[in-house]
Amino acid sequence: MPSTARPGSPTPETQDDPRPQIRPAAALVLALEALMIAAAATASFWLSGTAGARPGLMIALGVFLLVFALGAAIAARSVLLRGRFGLGYGITWQLFQALVGASLLRGGLYWQGALALVLAVVAFVLLLQLVRSTPLPSRLD
């Protein structure tokens, strides 16, 4: 059956999204963060062979980072599918990431800290713009 919607008119999926281009952008930033966290986990595993007396600490850090990378990847998918998990996890993660970025700056790792802070602020702003346009579980029907 042909659709009666006019070209350019909102579809049911984008009807409540005032700016639908924000959703893929927010998911992309979360996916980029997931890749960067996974890269840090890989570096941690690699450094466990050269950590001297504390290789277990580096392996534990790598596992810890992989858990958060998986969470960020799932959050990116959830944001694309208009789920609430991605918003809650993503916003909370940006607060932690901003703290880590500030700590990196204070520790003298300037470009790493600046990158973490920029990504945290961009993702935070994008995710906050999606909060009202993401349906609550009770409104899905």
Side-chain angles (χ1 to χ4, degrees):
M1 180 172 193
S3 174
T4 59
R6 288 179 277 149
S9 65
T11 64
E13 293 143 358
T14 61
Q15 187 173 353
D16 296 333
D17 257 344
R19 293 172 51 197
Q21 69 274 15
I22 292 176
R23 194 167 295 283
L28 180 67
V29 173
L30 283 171
L32 177 64
E33 288 177 351
L35 288 173
M36 293 176 72
I37 298 167
T42 303
S44 179
F45 289 133
W46 183 71
L47 289 173
S48 68
T50 62
R54 298 235 173 196
L57 180 65
M58 296 304 287
I59 291 172
L61 177 62
V63 170
F64 181 77
L65 289 171
L66 280 179
V67 169
F68 282 105
L70 180 63
I74 293 170
R77 184 176 184 275
S78 174
V79 166
L80 279 177
L81 298 176
R82 297 177 55 116
R84 302 289 303 174
F85 170 79
L87 295 177
Y89 183 91
I91 290 171
T92 304
W93 176 253
Q94 301 320 309
L95 297 174
F96 286 119
Q97 184 171 315
L99 288 172
V100 169
S103 296
L104 289 171
L105 287 174
R106 191 167 183 196
L109 301 169
Y110 297 116
W111 72 267
Q112 296 94 334
L115 179 62
L117 281 174
V118 167
L119 281 175
V121 169
V122 168
F124 189 80
V125 169
L126 289 172
L127 290 169
L128 279 181
Q129 291 179 7
L130 294 174
V131 169
R132 289 195 174 228
S133 64
T134 302
L136 294 171
S138 62
R139 296 185 186 160
L140 289 177
D141 298 327

